[in-house]
Amino acid sequence: MYEVPKLPYAVGALEPHIDARTMEIHHDKHHGAYVANLNKAMEQASDLAGKSVEDLLRGIERVPEAIRTAVRNHGGGHANHSLFWEIMGPGGGGLPAGELALALDKAFGSFTIFQEKLSSVASGQFGSGWGWLVLNDGKLEIFARPNQDSPYMEGKTPILGVDVWEHAYYLLYQNRRADYLKAWWNTVRWDKVAEKYRKALG
Ligand code: MN
């Protein structure tokens, strides 16, 4: 059985950038529903029991066809949101340090260009989806993907993701996705992102 990880900070900890009510509904209800639906689908695949959600997504083609779409959507939702809660936190924002900072400079030219590029793909995602920073074959890449499609399905490791579903920002920002994105950078815990990067490098 998959479980929603406990939020590692209070629901109001990201204010004023993300309001407590949005965090509460997003974590408890939206993420909760992805996990409930994933567990329901997985009842039909006892041979896959015990696999991590990341492994399920990496091997999405080997998931039985009858539940493949459910695993893609709800398993993707579970993996994506688990990462999202982790890489945000109080005292976020600012600049990355160490090897991640160097790698971002090397891949994109500068931190500012990286930030603009990710904001731009996330803001340009039509409808619901995510903006991603991933490690692919040792290289950092930026792209957006629709719905809950996980980079793991493409053999890439997500390092940082920004949720641009309306449920992530509508209460505070309504249709102003660009304003949400601008504020969201203030929630990013670069120390957590750096940990993800180191782990993905292996
Ligand atoms: Mn979401």
Side-chain angles (χ1 to χ4, degrees):
M1 294 284 273
Y2 300 92
E3 283 176 18
V4 179
K6 201 174 169 309
L7 204 60
Y9 36 82
V11 289
L14 305 182
E15 290 194 354
H17 313 296
I18 303 180
D19 61 290
R21 185 78 179 126
T22 295
M23 286 300 288
E24 189 182 1
I25 299 170
H26 198 177
H27 177 269
D28 297 358
K29 306 295 182 191
H30 290 279
H31 193 167
Y34 294 125
V35 166
N37 287 319
L38 174 63
N39 284 331
K40 191 156 183 274
M42 290 301 286
E43 284 170 7
Q44 293 176 55
S46 50
D47 51 319
L48 295 175
K51 270 196 185 292
S52 71
V53 68
E54 291 82 5
D55 280 348
L56 284 180
L57 294 163
R58 282 190 195 101
I60 192 72
E61 294 309 322
R62 294 187 295 279
V63 170
E65 209 177 339
I67 61 164
R68 197 175 296 150
T69 300
V71 170
R72 176 179 181 169
N73 291 336
H74 303 296
H78 178 33
N80 296 345
H81 287 86
S82 297
L83 174 78
F84 191 55
W85 311 133
E86 233 184 296
I87 56 139
M88 298 190 291
L95 299 168
E99 61 176 342
L100 175 63
L102 293 174
L104 288 171
D105 283 351
K106 191 176 166 210
F108 306 108
S110 73
F111 178 73
T112 307
I113 297 171
F114 151 73
Q115 218 174 11
E116 283 170 3
K117 211 170 162 183
L118 185 55
S119 294
S120 158
V121 298
S123 138
Q125 168 61 40
F126 182 75
S128 297
W130 291 72
W132 292 108
L133 172 69
V134 305
L135 196 67
N136 177 27
D137 249 339
K139 287 177 72 181
L140 289 170
E141 289 176 3
I142 285 171
F143 50 71
R145 290 291 180 265
N147 305 313
Q148 296 297 350
D149 282 1
S150 163
Y152 286 119
M153 296 194 306
E154 305 172 30
K156 299 167 185 176
T157 306
I159 305 296
L160 170 148
V162 58
D163 188 345
V164 292
W165 284 56
E166 283 185 345
H167 68 222
Y169 61 87
Y170 205 81
L171 292 182
L172 199 55
Y173 298 95
Q174 293 82 49
N175 62 321
R176 303 187 314 277
R177 185 187 284 186
D179 290 351
Y180 155 70
L181 283 167
K182 199 171 165 198
W184 177 79
W185 288 107
N186 296 308
T187 71
V188 176
R189 285 284 305 265
W190 289 108
D191 54 336
K192 305 285 181 191
V193 180
E195 262 174 47
K196 295 275 165 203
Y197 176 63
R198 267 195 305 276
K199 209 172 153 196
L201 281 176

